[in-house]
Amino acid sequence: MKISIVMTVYNGEKYLKEQIDSFLNQTLLPDEIIIADDSSSDKTIEIIEKYEKKYPDKIKIFKNKYNLGFTKNFEKAISKSSGDVIFLSDQDDVWYENKIQTIIKKFNTNPSVDLIIHDADLVNEDLKTTNYSALSQVISGFNDTNVFITGALTSFKKDLLNYILPFPKNLIGHDGFIHFVSKNLN
């Protein structure tokens, strides 16, 4: 099973090293890391190019000539992935070392499932864990888990690509769309 991580970046230099290191230190390593830069003007490109030089068979960078916006940038990045399972990541996520292994185990145990979303610990600006999780915040604000949709906590099988790409014109927010399509296929 080929595993892709798809990450988009825009002026995201602050946490990129920790984030990419967390991808490369997984107990089950990804086969490819797709990074689409949306015309960053900070040190983002410099940081990710160092990783690309060190891991040329694993890391693939796509640089936009002009800013596409996060939804179209994700569309581009997802379209460049070749994995059987695609993990989405924002530019400020740091993963637990067993994230990929845990999610792949869930897919293998439930072969009819096309998309998995999971909870995450929220951290402060120093990447120190708080007492909150993403799901607990949603529940406290909405008292309903049906509104728990976030791309950064989403992975899905490549079969969904036939249904989600290209994104509808003028779509704002890829994550809700991907979840909606997956839910309505079953």
Tab-separated table of all heavy atoms in Angstrom, residues 123-172:
chain	number	residue	atom	x	y	z
A	123	VAL	N	-2.055	22.285	20.596
A	123	VAL	CA	-0.831	22.749	21.239
A	123	VAL	C	-0.787	24.270	21.217
A	123	VAL	O	-1.530	24.913	20.479
A	123	VAL	CB	0.422	22.172	20.531
A	123	VAL	CG1	0.454	20.650	20.647
A	123	VAL	CG2	0.496	22.607	19.077
A	124	ASN	N	0.117	24.804	22.014
A	124	ASN	CA	0.296	26.262	22.012
A	124	ASN	C	1.361	26.639	20.992
A	124	ASN	O	1.889	25.787	20.269
A	124	ASN	CB	0.605	26.769	23.430
A	124	ASN	CG	1.933	26.256	23.963
A	124	ASN	OD1	2.830	25.833	23.232
A	124	ASN	ND2	2.073	26.285	25.288
A	125	GLU	N	1.732	27.901	20.956
A	125	GLU	CA	2.685	28.379	19.949
A	125	GLU	C	4.087	27.792	20.121
A	125	GLU	O	4.909	27.848	19.214
A	125	GLU	CB	2.750	29.903	19.934
A	125	GLU	CG	3.291	30.502	21.203
A	125	GLU	CD	3.269	32.025	21.183
A	125	GLU	OE1	2.455	32.604	20.457
A	125	GLU	OE2	4.068	32.626	21.921
A	126	ASP	N	4.361	27.187	21.291
A	126	ASP	CA	5.642	26.525	21.540
A	126	ASP	C	5.550	25.015	21.325
A	126	ASP	O	6.438	24.272	21.731
A	126	ASP	CB	6.121	26.809	22.970
A	126	ASP	CG	6.348	28.292	23.209
A	126	ASP	OD1	6.905	28.951	22.315
A	126	ASP	OD2	5.957	28.781	24.292
A	127	LEU	N	4.441	24.573	20.725
A	127	LEU	CA	4.165	23.158	20.454
A	127	LEU	C	4.039	22.323	21.725
A	127	LEU	O	4.254	21.119	21.717
A	127	LEU	CB	5.222	22.550	19.526
A	127	LEU	CG	5.350	23.195	18.147
A	127	LEU	CD1	6.456	22.521	17.352
A	127	LEU	CD2	4.038	23.132	17.392
A	128	LYS	N	3.657	22.961	22.814
A	128	LYS	CA	3.400	22.250	24.074
A	128	LYS	C	1.916	21.890	24.120
A	128	LYS	O	1.042	22.725	23.841
A	128	LYS	CB	3.751	23.119	25.295
A	128	LYS	CG	5.182	23.595	25.320
A	128	LYS	CD	6.147	22.453	25.530
A	128	LYS	CE	7.563	22.975	25.604
A	128	LYS	NZ	8.542	22.036	25.157
A	129	THR	N	1.642	20.637	24.496
A	129	THR	CA	0.272	20.149	24.527
A	129	THR	C	-0.558	20.923	25.546
A	129	THR	O	-0.115	21.182	26.661
A	129	THR	CB	0.251	18.648	24.882
A	129	THR	OG1	1.069	17.954	23.938
A	129	THR	CG2	-1.145	18.075	24.817
A	130	THR	N	-1.756	21.289	25.124
A	130	THR	CA	-2.718	21.918	26.033
A	130	THR	C	-3.622	20.805	26.578
A	130	THR	O	-3.399	19.641	26.302
A	130	THR	CB	-3.584	22.949	25.275
A	130	THR	OG1	-4.372	22.261	24.304
A	130	THR	CG2	-2.727	24.009	24.604
A	131	ASN	N	-4.620	21.148	27.308
A	131	ASN	CA	-5.566	20.153	27.819
A	131	ASN	C	-6.759	19.991	26.899
A	131	ASN	O	-7.798	19.496	27.313
A	131	ASN	CB	-6.044	20.553	29.225
A	131	ASN	CG	-4.918	20.445	30.238
A	131	ASN	OD1	-4.074	19.565	30.149
A	131	ASN	ND2	-4.887	21.364	31.183
A	132	TYR	N	-6.630	20.408	25.660
A	132	TYR	CA	-7.753	20.376	24.728
A	132	TYR	C	-7.422	19.535	23.500
A	132	TYR	O	-6.277	19.463	23.081
A	132	TYR	CB	-8.109	21.802	24.273
A	132	TYR	CG	-8.462	22.717	25.404
A	132	TYR	CD1	-7.536	23.651	25.861
A	132	TYR	CD2	-9.702	22.631	26.026
A	132	TYR	CE1	-7.850	24.493	26.926
A	132	TYR	CE2	-10.020	23.476	27.081
A	132	TYR	CZ	-9.092	24.395	27.524
A	132	TYR	OH	-9.404	25.221	28.572
A	133	SER	N	-8.468	18.958	22.958
A	133	SER	CA	-8.323	18.268	21.680
A	133	SER	C	-9.217	18.976	20.671
A	133	SER	O	-10.109	19.740	21.039
A	133	SER	CB	-8.731	16.799	21.809
A	133	SER	OG	-10.133	16.676	21.909
A	134	ALA	N	-8.980	18.704	19.404
A	134	ALA	CA	-9.801	19.319	18.359
A	134	ALA	C	-11.267	18.925	18.547
A	134	ALA	O	-12.157	19.771	18.467
A	134	ALA	CB	-9.298	18.900	16.988
A	135	LEU	N	-11.510	17.657	18.802
A	135	LEU	CA	-12.886	17.186	18.967
A	135	LEU	C	-13.547	17.784	20.205
A	135	LEU	O	-14.716	18.178	20.155
A	135	LEU	CB	-12.920	15.656	19.038
A	135	LEU	CG	-14.300	15.010	19.082
A	135	LEU	CD1	-15.149	15.413	17.882
A	135	LEU	CD2	-14.161	13.491	19.142
A	136	SER	N	-12.823	17.913	21.305
A	136	SER	CA	-13.423	18.494	22.517
A	136	SER	C	-13.830	19.947	22.284
A	136	SER	O	-14.845	20.406	22.786
A	136	SER	CB	-12.474	18.392	23.709
A	136	SER	OG	-11.369	19.272	23.579
A	137	GLN	N	-13.040	20.664	21.472
A	137	GLN	CA	-13.388	22.049	21.150
A	137	GLN	C	-14.657	22.120	20.313
A	137	GLN	O	-15.497	22.988	20.523
A	137	GLN	CB	-12.231	22.727	20.415
A	137	GLN	CG	-11.017	22.975	21.280
A	137	GLN	CD	-11.321	23.929	22.411
A	137	GLN	OE1	-11.672	23.520	23.519
A	137	GLN	NE2	-11.208	25.198	22.165
A	138	VAL	N	-14.795	21.218	19.362
A	138	VAL	CA	-15.999	21.187	18.525
A	138	VAL	C	-17.222	20.863	19.373
A	138	VAL	O	-18.261	21.520	19.270
A	138	VAL	CB	-15.843	20.163	17.368
A	138	VAL	CG1	-17.168	19.922	16.672
A	138	VAL	CG2	-14.800	20.656	16.382
A	139	ILE	N	-17.097	19.860	20.221
A	139	ILE	CA	-18.227	19.463	21.071
A	139	ILE	C	-18.615	20.588	22.020
A	139	ILE	O	-19.801	20.878	22.196
A	139	ILE	CB	-17.907	18.164	21.838
A	139	ILE	CG1	-17.822	16.991	20.858
A	139	ILE	CG2	-18.959	17.883	22.909
A	139	ILE	CD1	-17.288	15.707	21.452
A	140	SER	N	-17.629	21.269	22.607
A	140	SER	CA	-17.964	22.351	23.539
A	140	SER	C	-18.616	23.532	22.824
A	140	SER	O	-19.448	24.220	23.390
A	140	SER	CB	-16.729	22.815	24.310
A	140	SER	OG	-15.834	23.502	23.471
A	141	GLY	N	-18.263	23.740	21.572
A	141	GLY	CA	-18.832	24.854	20.828
A	141	GLY	C	-20.148	24.544	20.149
A	141	GLY	O	-21.013	25.406	20.025
A	142	PHE	N	-20.317	23.301	19.699
A	142	PHE	CA	-21.496	22.956	18.907
A	142	PHE	C	-22.348	21.850	19.515
A	142	PHE	O	-23.462	21.600	19.065
A	142	PHE	CB	-21.078	22.507	17.497
A	142	PHE	CG	-20.429	23.581	16.696
A	142	PHE	CD1	-19.048	23.682	16.620
A	142	PHE	CD2	-21.191	24.518	16.008
A	142	PHE	CE1	-18.434	24.670	15.880
A	142	PHE	CE2	-20.594	25.515	15.270
A	142	PHE	CZ	-19.207	25.594	15.201
A	143	ASN	N	-21.785	21.125	20.510
A	143	ASN	CA	-22.474	19.994	21.125
A	143	ASN	C	-22.903	18.963	20.070
A	143	ASN	O	-23.939	18.328	20.189
A	143	ASN	CB	-23.682	20.463	21.946
A	143	ASN	CG	-24.072	19.433	22.986
A	143	ASN	OD1	-23.233	18.649	23.432
A	143	ASN	ND2	-25.333	19.423	23.362
A	144	ASP	N	-22.098	18.833	19.019
A	144	ASP	CA	-22.447	17.959	17.907
A	144	ASP	C	-21.168	17.549	17.182
A	144	ASP	O	-20.408	18.407	16.736
A	144	ASP	CB	-23.377	18.711	16.945
A	144	ASP	CG	-23.849	17.877	15.781
A	144	ASP	OD1	-23.484	16.685	15.689
A	144	ASP	OD2	-24.585	18.418	14.946
A	145	THR	N	-20.915	16.262	17.043
A	145	THR	CA	-19.708	15.800	16.359
A	145	THR	C	-19.861	15.803	14.841
A	145	THR	O	-18.884	15.638	14.117
A	145	THR	CB	-19.323	14.379	16.811
A	145	THR	OG1	-20.409	13.491	16.539
A	145	THR	CG2	-18.990	14.350	18.280
A	146	ASN	N	-21.065	16.003	14.327
A	146	ASN	CA	-21.266	16.022	12.876
A	146	ASN	C	-20.593	17.214	12.198
A	146	ASN	O	-20.434	17.219	10.984
A	146	ASN	CB	-22.757	16.013	12.530
A	146	ASN	CG	-23.369	14.662	12.796
A	146	ASN	OD1	-22.738	13.630	12.584
A	146	ASN	ND2	-24.596	14.661	13.270
A	147	VAL	N	-20.238	18.232	12.957
A	147	VAL	CA	-19.570	19.394	12.385
A	147	VAL	C	-18.048	19.284	12.479
A	147	VAL	O	-17.333	20.219	12.150
A	147	VAL	CB	-20.046	20.714	13.048
A	147	VAL	CG1	-21.524	20.936	12.795
A	147	VAL	CG2	-19.729	20.726	14.530
A	148	PHE	N	-17.570	18.129	12.926
A	148	PHE	CA	-16.130	17.903	13.079
A	148	PHE	C	-15.531	17.526	11.727
A	148	PHE	O	-15.475	16.373	11.343
A	148	PHE	CB	-15.883	16.801	14.113
A	148	PHE	CG	-14.423	16.558	14.422
A	148	PHE	CD1	-13.614	17.593	14.860
A	148	PHE	CD2	-13.873	15.300	14.291
A	148	PHE	CE1	-12.286	17.379	15.158
A	148	PHE	CE2	-12.541	15.066	14.596
A	148	PHE	CZ	-11.752	16.104	15.034
A	149	ILE	N	-15.127	18.530	10.986
A	149	ILE	CA	-14.545	18.329	9.658
A	149	ILE	C	-13.306	19.196	9.568
A	149	ILE	O	-13.388	20.419	9.636
A	149	ILE	CB	-15.536	18.720	8.544
A	149	ILE	CG1	-16.774	17.848	8.608
A	149	ILE	CG2	-14.875	18.640	7.182
A	149	ILE	CD1	-17.878	18.298	7.665
A	150	THR	N	-12.175	18.542	9.429
A	150	THR	CA	-10.941	19.286	9.223
A	150	THR	C	-10.009	18.471	8.346
A	150	THR	O	-9.786	17.285	8.572
A	150	THR	CB	-10.266	19.678	10.548
A	150	THR	OG1	-9.055	20.375	10.272
A	150	THR	CG2	-9.993	18.500	11.434
A	151	GLY	N	-9.501	19.101	7.310
A	151	GLY	CA	-8.620	18.418	6.378
A	151	GLY	C	-7.350	17.918	7.019
A	151	GLY	O	-6.852	16.852	6.677
A	152	ALA	N	-6.810	18.651	7.962
A	152	ALA	CA	-5.547	18.280	8.584
A	152	ALA	C	-5.620	16.960	9.338
A	152	ALA	O	-4.598	16.347	9.612
A	152	ALA	CB	-5.095	19.383	9.533
A	153	LEU	N	-6.831	16.523	9.648
A	153	LEU	CA	-7.013	15.277	10.388
A	153	LEU	C	-7.654	14.206	9.510
A	153	LEU	O	-8.238	13.259	10.002
A	153	LEU	CB	-7.868	15.531	11.631
A	153	LEU	CG	-7.346	16.640	12.554
A	153	LEU	CD1	-8.300	16.878	13.706
A	153	LEU	CD2	-5.952	16.330	13.048
A	154	THR	N	-7.513	14.362	8.205
A	154	THR	CA	-8.192	13.501	7.248
A	154	THR	C	-7.208	12.674	6.433
A	154	THR	O	-6.174	13.167	6.007
A	154	THR	CB	-9.037	14.360	6.274
A	154	THR	OG1	-10.018	15.069	7.030
A	154	THR	CG2	-9.729	13.513	5.232
A	155	SER	N	-7.575	11.430	6.217
A	155	SER	CA	-6.877	10.574	5.250
A	155	SER	C	-7.945	9.833	4.466
A	155	SER	O	-9.029	9.550	4.974
A	155	SER	CB	-5.934	9.606	5.953
A	155	SER	OG	-6.630	8.818	6.890
A	156	PHE	N	-7.645	9.531	3.205
A	156	PHE	CA	-8.634	8.861	2.375
A	156	PHE	C	-7.957	8.003	1.318
A	156	PHE	O	-6.777	8.188	1.001
A	156	PHE	CB	-9.588	9.874	1.721
A	156	PHE	CG	-8.924	10.930	0.898
A	156	PHE	CD1	-8.675	10.744	-0.459
A	156	PHE	CD2	-8.543	12.141	1.478
A	156	PHE	CE1	-8.064	11.720	-1.224
A	156	PHE	CE2	-7.928	13.126	0.712
A	156	PHE	CZ	-7.688	12.914	-0.637
A	157	LYS	N	-8.730	7.057	0.787
A	157	LYS	CA	-8.227	6.169	-0.256
A	157	LYS	C	-8.257	6.873	-1.605
A	157	LYS	O	-9.121	7.707	-1.871
A	157	LYS	CB	-9.062	4.899	-0.313
A	157	LYS	CG	-8.911	4.029	0.913
A	157	LYS	CD	-9.761	2.779	0.788
A	157	LYS	CE	-9.643	1.918	2.026
A	157	LYS	NZ	-10.598	0.791	1.976
A	158	LYS	N	-7.330	6.491	-2.479
A	158	LYS	CA	-7.197	7.149	-3.782
A	158	LYS	C	-8.452	7.014	-4.636
A	158	LYS	O	-8.667	7.829	-5.532
A	158	LYS	CB	-5.979	6.636	-4.534
A	158	LYS	CG	-6.123	5.233	-5.089
A	158	LYS	CD	-4.908	4.851	-5.903
A	158	LYS	CE	-5.007	3.423	-6.381
A	158	LYS	NZ	-3.807	3.020	-7.093
A	159	ASP	N	-9.303	6.011	-4.371
A	159	ASP	CA	-10.544	5.852	-5.143
A	159	ASP	C	-11.407	7.103	-5.088
A	159	ASP	O	-12.149	7.382	-6.020
A	159	ASP	CB	-11.352	4.654	-4.633
A	159	ASP	CG	-10.597	3.338	-4.806
A	159	ASP	OD1	-9.626	3.311	-5.587
A	159	ASP	OD2	-10.974	2.357	-4.163
A	160	LEU	N	-11.310	7.864	-4.004
A	160	LEU	CA	-12.100	9.096	-3.874
A	160	LEU	C	-11.687	10.160	-4.899
A	160	LEU	O	-12.481	11.047	-5.214
A	160	LEU	CB	-11.975	9.681	-2.469
A	160	LEU	CG	-12.917	9.163	-1.408
A	160	LEU	CD1	-12.680	9.871	-0.085
A	160	LEU	CD2	-14.354	9.282	-1.823
A	161	LEU	N	-10.464	10.075	-5.408
A	161	LEU	CA	-9.997	11.076	-6.361
A	161	LEU	C	-10.909	11.167	-7.581
A	161	LEU	O	-11.105	12.251	-8.136
A	161	LEU	CB	-8.562	10.778	-6.814
A	161	LEU	CG	-7.484	10.846	-5.729
A	161	LEU	CD1	-6.122	10.493	-6.318
A	161	LEU	CD2	-7.451	12.197	-5.052
A	162	ASN	N	-11.472	10.038	-7.986
A	162	ASN	CA	-12.388	10.026	-9.136
A	162	ASN	C	-13.630	10.876	-8.895
A	162	ASN	O	-14.260	11.332	-9.847
A	162	ASN	CB	-12.834	8.597	-9.455
A	162	ASN	CG	-11.680	7.727	-9.883
A	162	ASN	OD1	-10.752	8.188	-10.533
A	162	ASN	ND2	-11.729	6.471	-9.505
A	163	TYR	N	-13.969	11.092	-7.647
A	163	TYR	CA	-15.193	11.815	-7.288
A	163	TYR	C	-14.942	13.252	-6.838
A	163	TYR	O	-15.841	14.081	-6.904
A	163	TYR	CB	-15.950	11.064	-6.187
A	163	TYR	CG	-16.318	9.665	-6.596
A	163	TYR	CD1	-15.535	8.578	-6.210
A	163	TYR	CD2	-17.432	9.420	-7.393
A	163	TYR	CE1	-15.863	7.287	-6.605
A	163	TYR	CE2	-17.769	8.137	-7.793
A	163	TYR	CZ	-16.979	7.082	-7.396
A	163	TYR	OH	-17.306	5.805	-7.791
A	164	ILE	N	-13.714	13.522	-6.347
A	164	ILE	CA	-13.472	14.859	-5.775
A	164	ILE	C	-12.703	15.792	-6.697
A	164	ILE	O	-12.774	17.008	-6.533
A	164	ILE	CB	-12.766	14.782	-4.404
A	164	ILE	CG1	-11.362	14.194	-4.538
A	164	ILE	CG2	-13.623	14.020	-3.402
A	164	ILE	CD1	-10.520	14.289	-3.276
A	165	LEU	N	-11.940	15.232	-7.642
A	165	LEU	CA	-11.134	16.082	-8.531
A	165	LEU	C	-11.743	16.165	-9.918
A	165	LEU	O	-12.177	15.146	-10.449
A	165	LEU	CB	-9.703	15.552	-8.633
A	165	LEU	CG	-8.870	15.608	-7.363
A	165	LEU	CD1	-7.483	15.029	-7.623
A	165	LEU	CD2	-8.744	17.004	-6.794
A	166	PRO	N	-11.735	17.308	-10.537
A	166	PRO	CA	-11.325	18.587	-9.951
A	166	PRO	C	-12.382	19.093	-8.970
A	166	PRO	O	-13.547	18.710	-9.049
A	166	PRO	CB	-11.234	19.507	-11.161
A	166	PRO	CG	-12.221	18.948	-12.136
A	166	PRO	CD	-12.205	17.460	-11.905
A	167	PHE	N	-11.954	19.946	-8.056
A	167	PHE	CA	-12.902	20.553	-7.125
A	167	PHE	C	-13.884	21.418	-7.907
A	167	PHE	O	-13.519	21.984	-8.943
A	167	PHE	CB	-12.185	21.439	-6.106
A	167	PHE	CG	-11.340	20.702	-5.092
A	167	PHE	CD1	-10.385	21.388	-4.374
A	167	PHE	CD2	-11.498	19.351	-4.843
A	167	PHE	CE1	-9.603	20.746	-3.425
A	167	PHE	CE2	-10.718	18.690	-3.900
A	167	PHE	CZ	-9.768	19.397	-3.191
A	168	PRO	N	-15.101	21.557	-7.406
A	168	PRO	CA	-16.053	22.454	-8.075
A	168	PRO	C	-15.500	23.879	-8.134
A	168	PRO	O	-14.782	24.320	-7.240
A	168	PRO	CB	-17.290	22.403	-7.179
A	168	PRO	CG	-17.163	21.137	-6.416
A	168	PRO	CD	-15.689	20.902	-6.246
A	169	LYS	N	-15.850	24.564	-9.190
A	169	LYS	CA	-15.422	25.954	-9.359
A	169	LYS	C	-15.934	26.782	-8.175
A	169	LYS	O	-17.042	26.570	-7.697
A	169	LYS	CB	-15.990	26.489	-10.672
A	169	LYS	CG	-15.319	27.725	-11.172
A	169	LYS	CD	-15.836	28.063	-12.567
A	169	LYS	CE	-15.090	29.232	-13.115
A	169	LYS	NZ	-14.122	28.873	-14.122
A	170	ASN	N	-15.119	27.684	-7.694
A	170	ASN	CA	-15.456	28.609	-6.588
A	170	ASN	C	-15.656	27.911	-5.247
A	170	ASN	O	-16.235	28.497	-4.335
A	170	ASN	CB	-16.682	29.460	-6.931
A	170	ASN	CG	-16.452	30.291	-8.172
A	170	ASN	OD1	-15.371	30.829	-8.374
A	170	ASN	ND2	-17.463	30.381	-9.021
A	171	LEU	N	-15.174	26.682	-5.109
A	171	LEU	CA	-15.255	25.978	-3.826
A	171	LEU	C	-14.353	26.684	-2.821
A	171	LEU	O	-13.203	27.014	-3.120
A	171	LEU	CB	-14.807	24.524	-3.991
A	171	LEU	CG	-14.790	23.672	-2.717
A	171	LEU	CD1	-16.225	23.401	-2.257
A	171	LEU	CD2	-14.071	22.358	-2.976
A	172	ILE	N	-14.870	26.926	-1.636
A	172	ILE	CA	-14.073	27.489	-0.551
A	172	ILE	C	-14.002	26.435	0.540
A	172	ILE	O	-14.974	26.182	1.226
A	172	ILE	CB	-14.685	28.793	0.000
A	172	ILE	CG1	-14.769	29.826	-1.112
A	172	ILE	CG2	-13.869	29.306	1.182
A	172	ILE	CD1	-15.488	31.092	-0.727
